[in-house]
Amino acid sequence: MGVEIIFKIAAVGLITAIVCQILKKADKDEVGTMVSLAGLVIVLLMVVDMIAQLFDTLKNMFGLY
């Protein structure tokens, strides 16, 4: 779970940026904004899942309920 999460986040960011630029060139600024927000939500969900796993690990490590 080390470096691959960084690559996944970078891939989502890169794809989002490319699609957003294509849509802005096609005068679809509103859709481009929605695509960038969707990419942000995807990355945030990935990070929240990682934080939840961290808290579960800490809970198990210290024997908390």
Side-chain angles (χ1 to χ4, degrees):
M1 178 104 187
V3 179
E4 65 265 6
I5 193 69
I6 295 172
F7 288 137
K8 286 180 184 179
I9 291 173
V12 170
L14 187 65
I15 291 169
T16 302
I18 290 171
V19 171
C20 188
Q21 289 298 320
I22 290 171
L23 289 170
K24 285 189 179 187
K25 295 283 184 183
D27 290 331
K28 306 267 189 198
D29 291 332
E30 297 85 10
V31 179
T33 303
M34 292 298 162
V35 168
S36 64
L37 286 174
L40 179 66
V41 168
I42 291 169
V43 169
L44 285 176
L45 288 174
M46 292 167 59
V47 170
V48 165
D49 184 45
M50 287 178 27
I51 291 172
Q53 289 176 359
L54 172 69
F55 283 137
D56 286 340
T57 303
L58 289 174
K59 187 170 58 172
N60 290 335
M61 185 185 304
F62 292 115
L64 300 173
Y65 296 103

